[in-house]
Amino acid sequence: MYREIRFLHLSFGLPSGIFLTIGFIGSIFGQPFFGFLTEKRGGKFSFILSSVMSLIFFVIFLYLKQFYISAIIYTFFTFSAFSSFPVLLGYVSQVFPKTFVTVANSYVWGIGVTVGGALGNAVVTAFLAYNIPLSTSFIVLMVLAFLSLVMTPLLPKKV
């Protein structure tokens, strides 16, 4: 029994699991915060702020080598990045006429977030299949996030 517990303690999977689990704490606080901010300052402002914060914290996260500081920065990353639910849905409800909000939300969430997330996973998986380092795929995803951020002035104020 002791040997099994010691094996778990020394495994690579357990620290990664703990790291990722604790990191999600950020979104628990980020979603209400960005929901409130979307109500007060508007969805476009909240989207830009959460995107800038996500990009900054992700860049910092990629270059850190210390486990505990990385976990803290990852938590800040999840605070902003995993808050897309209140930000995007709040933005849509502010921009679209009430009669189209439900359909617009289904496009934003169903296509934008789900398909976007799936494509991000596909890029990482394809790179790994060709033995391209994980860090390279993260840099590619950061560039895509930056391009997305640069295009935010194209977001409409009203539809």
Side-chain angles (χ1 to χ4, degrees):
M1 173 90 172
Y2 172 75
R3 190 172 144 196
E4 292 172 25
I5 293 172
R6 186 157 189 246
F7 171 76
L8 282 174
H9 178 331
L10 298 175
S11 76
F12 290 109
L14 186 63
S16 299
I18 291 170
F19 180 89
L20 292 173
T21 301
I22 291 172
F24 280 105
I25 290 171
S27 63
I28 294 168
F29 296 102
Q31 289 184 9
F33 172 79
F34 281 105
F36 174 78
L37 193 63
T38 299
E39 288 292 322
K40 296 297 178 195
R41 297 288 309 266
K44 190 172 186 177
F45 174 82
S46 297
F47 178 75
I48 291 169
L49 179 63
S50 67
S51 297
V52 167
M53 288 174 64
S54 298
L55 196 57
I56 289 169
F57 287 125
F58 194 69
V59 169
I60 294 168
F61 170 74
L62 283 182
Y63 290 101
L64 289 175
K65 303 293 184 225
Q66 210 280 336
F67 181 82
Y68 296 108
I69 296 172
S70 292
I72 291 167
I73 295 299
Y74 182 74
T75 302
F76 284 121
F77 168 73
T78 64
F79 175 82
S80 53
F82 294 176
S83 298
S84 61
F85 186 76
V87 171
L88 291 175
L89 300 186
Y91 171 72
V92 166
S93 70
Q94 292 171 349
V95 172
F96 280 83
K98 295 293 179 206
T99 55
F100 295 105
V101 167
T102 304
V103 173
N105 278 336
S106 69
Y107 283 122
V108 168
W109 194 255
I111 295 172
V113 175
T114 306
V115 172
L119 288 175
N121 288 334
V123 167
V124 172
T125 302
F127 278 29
L128 289 174
Y130 289 101
N131 295 321
I132 297 171
L134 187 59
S135 59
T136 302
S137 61
F138 283 165
I139 291 169
V140 169
L141 293 176
M142 272 188 331
V143 169
L144 292 173
F146 178 76
L147 292 174
S148 173
L149 183 61
V150 169
M151 293 190 305
T152 55
L154 300 174
L155 292 173
K157 291 184 181 180
K158 275 290 183 198
V159 174

